[in-house]
Amino acid sequence: MMSIEKVFDIIKSERAYQDQKWGGCGHDYLHTFDDWLSYMSQYLSLADKLHKEGNTVIARNQIRKLAALAVACMQHKCPTYRTKYHRALGDVPFHT
């Protein structure tokens, strides 16, 4: 298993690539929360499709991009820290 530090390094590298490609903060700030959700949904759907077709390496590349998009969204849309009251603040559990 890869260390969390290595995973974060990979995500940071992808964020740097995205910033270089798209113009960084000035560009990212223009997107709405709905935009970010749409972009992430598209990458997740593509990763799922590729994985089901047996293209696991390419699917994992999409997950890297998705993770970096999630970071960009959090950078520009003011996330909150998890608290012990997280369920009361709107977290919806997928697994019980």
Side-chain angles (χ1 to χ4, degrees):
M1 182 167 82
M2 189 179 297
S3 72
I4 194 166
E5 291 82 9
K6 181 67 175 172
V7 170
F8 287 151
D9 284 344
I10 291 168
I11 294 168
K12 284 171 64 176
S13 175
E14 182 65 27
R15 279 293 299 129
Y17 169 80
Q18 291 173 351
D19 280 347
Q20 182 181 20
K21 181 175 181 177
W22 298 107
C25 185
H27 172 81
D28 291 346
Y29 189 73
L30 299 174
H31 297 296
T32 66
F33 189 64
D34 287 340
D35 292 337
W36 291 111
L37 292 176
S38 177
Y39 302 146
M40 289 185 284
S41 177
Q42 290 172 36
Y43 277 97
L44 182 58
S45 293
L46 181 56
D48 183 50
K49 177 182 178 288
L50 289 165
H51 176 68
K52 287 176 180 173
E53 293 171 351
N55 296 317
T56 305
V57 172
I58 301 171
R60 289 177 181 167
N61 287 338
Q62 300 307 305
I63 294 300
R64 183 193 66 244
K65 294 175 184 187
L66 169 70
L69 283 170
V71 169
C73 176
M74 292 176 74
Q75 287 177 297
H76 297 285
K77 298 304 171 190
C78 304
T80 58
Y81 285 95
R82 177 175 295 278
T83 69
K84 64 181 179 176
Y85 306 107
H86 65 275
R87 289 218 176 174
L89 296 174
D91 273 8
V92 178
F94 285 97
H95 303 281
T96 55

